[in-house]
Amino acid sequence: MSDPGGDPLLQGLAEGREEAFAALYDRFAGPLWRGAVALLGSGQDAEDAVQEVFVGLVRARRELSKVENLRAYLFASLRRAAARIAAARKATLPLVAGMDVAEKDAGPRADDADPTGRLERALRSLPTEQREVVALKLDGGLTFAEVASALGVSANTAASRYRYALEKLRAAFGK
Amino acid sequence: MPSKNSGPPSGNEGEPLPPELAELERLLTQRAPAGPPAGLRPRVLAAVRDGLAVQRKAARRRSPWLLAGQLAAALLLCLNFALCLEARGDASPVGVDEKHVAAVAAELSRLEPGMSEGEARRMALLVCAAPPAPAPDGGLPPDAVFDALRGALWGTH
């Protein structure tokens, strides 16, 4: 994928053709959106993150010839956008912060009996680096090699973080 | 907290996960939201369109200055080239003995009276710049060879 002339989509993006961006959206918006929701825990923030990815792509479109893996590149951009949005909102885990207040105020949560709700809470309690891997792997549908490329770590590290995240989730979910 | 030495890491691309982790992975996959809201596509594409329009506007603003800069650079190159040519003119190259060049030019003019003064000077410069030719006969000094040649050509001997 290093030669944009070989990929009509990359060539269209590099030339700034709107239909190429539309095709890219249709191909990647779903995984990007799910990954953003998993990273940010908010649908509204996820929308902002996905939009930021595409706007950033417009700005960097002439650099796309250097992109080795477009999917990994998009998710690396998504991760940076999510970090910026989270920083702007003054909270890396807004829902976790919200849950803390709710737990103090209201005692047991209403979704404690709901496995999906418990799983979601357990997921948001993971360390950021493990939550990122789960978000990119399961919600974004990336391979470990792509996760590694997006995060700037080795594939073994990505796989380790994923395994540790699952074990931690199982421990939390089993409580 | 699992130990870092608790075995090789794995997921669905490496070694198969243990059944309880595989089940958890399945639950995690199922819990993912279906897709982005319908309103996100037009919103994102409008932002893309705006970004591209800004880039095109900036490119249009930049292009007259770019053209002017390129013209100025071309003019400077031409001017520099012309000045170089003018400066070179008939000036002697560095390290050439001007008296020797004049003497050779005079000799050439004498031998070939039809040769213009400028042509004689250019030929003299070439003669002076060329490396000395090896002596045709190692036993004779160059002057002796020249005298012998002159005698053979013009019969001065």
Side-chain angles (χ1 to χ4, degrees):
Chain A
M1 204 179 283
S2 59
D3 175 17
D7 184 335
L9 178 61
L10 275 180
Q11 192 176 2
L13 294 172
E15 289 169 2
R17 292 208 301 268
E18 284 179 33
E19 62 270 23
F21 286 91
L24 187 78
Y25 181 92
D26 292 338
R27 193 189 293 183
F28 289 107
L32 284 172
W33 155 260
R34 286 191 291 273
V37 170
L39 286 172
L40 290 161
S42 152
Q44 184 57 50
D45 286 347
E47 287 186 32
D48 292 345
V50 172
Q51 177 172 330
E52 201 169 309
V53 168
F54 277 81
V55 171
L57 207 59
V58 170
R59 281 196 295 267
R61 63 189 168 89
R62 292 187 182 88
E63 305 296 317
L64 287 176
S65 60
K66 298 170 191 162
V67 172
E68 295 286 332
N69 183 320
L70 184 58
R71 184 190 294 266
Y73 176 80
L74 288 173
F75 276 88
S77 303
L78 178 73
R79 181 179 169 239
R80 285 193 295 272
R84 277 194 297 272
I85 288 168
R89 301 278 156 92
K90 304 284 182 193
T92 312
L93 299 170
L95 293 188
V96 170
M99 274 193 307
D100 289 345
V101 173
E103 280 164 1
K104 279 178 199 166
D105 294 348
R109 288 180 59 85
D111 63 0
D112 276 353
D114 172 22
T116 308
R118 283 167 54 210
L119 191 58
E120 205 66 43
R121 289 173 62 202
L123 189 60
R124 287 174 196 159
S125 71
L126 288 175
T128 304
E129 62 180 25
Q130 291 177 8
R131 196 157 37 92
E132 282 177 339
V133 174
V134 173
L136 299 187
K137 181 83 178 74
L138 293 183
D139 301 307
L142 271 63
T143 63
F144 280 129
E146 288 170 336
V147 171
S149 174
L151 299 181
V153 299
S154 72
N156 275 342
T157 301
S160 295
R161 287 180 186 175
Y162 181 70
R163 176 70 176 259
Y164 298 144
L166 287 185
E167 288 179 353
K168 201 173 281 185
L169 283 174
R170 187 189 55 166
F173 195 57
K175 281 178 187 171
Chain B
M1 177 79 173
S3 161
K4 299 260 179 190
N5 300 319
S6 61
S10 63
N12 56 10
E13 289 170 56
E15 292 176 15
L17 289 168
E20 64 276 16
L21 292 188
E23 173 62 15
L24 186 62
E25 190 179 55
R26 191 186 61 77
L27 284 174
L28 283 165
T29 309
Q30 283 178 347
R31 110 223 174 277
L40 184 58
R41 190 178 194 274
R43 177 184 154 186
V44 166
L45 294 183
V48 164
R49 199 172 304 121
D50 289 348
L52 290 171
V54 167
Q55 281 186 347
R56 288 187 189 118
K57 200 180 286 183
R60 274 199 299 273
R61 268 203 310 269
R62 207 169 39 234
S63 59
W65 289 107
L66 193 64
L67 184 64
Q70 285 168 342
L71 276 174
L75 276 174
L76 276 175
L77 271 175
C78 290
L79 187 64
N80 187 37
F81 184 62
L83 287 174
C84 281
L85 283 180
E86 189 180 316
R88 281 187 66 83
D90 286 334
S92 300
V94 176
V96 169
D97 181 356
E98 191 57 40
K99 283 182 185 169
H100 183 53
V101 171
V104 173
E107 180 70 7
L108 287 169
S109 295
R110 191 182 63 75
L111 292 171
E112 184 59 51
M115 191 183 287
S116 72
E117 194 178 333
E119 183 65 16
R121 178 174 164 71
R122 275 192 289 277
M123 294 297 287
L125 279 170
L126 285 172
V127 168
C128 294
D137 182 342
L140 290 174
D143 287 346
V145 173
F146 186 71
D147 288 342
L149 284 173
R150 191 163 51 185
L153 289 172
W154 291 293
T156 54
H157 280 280

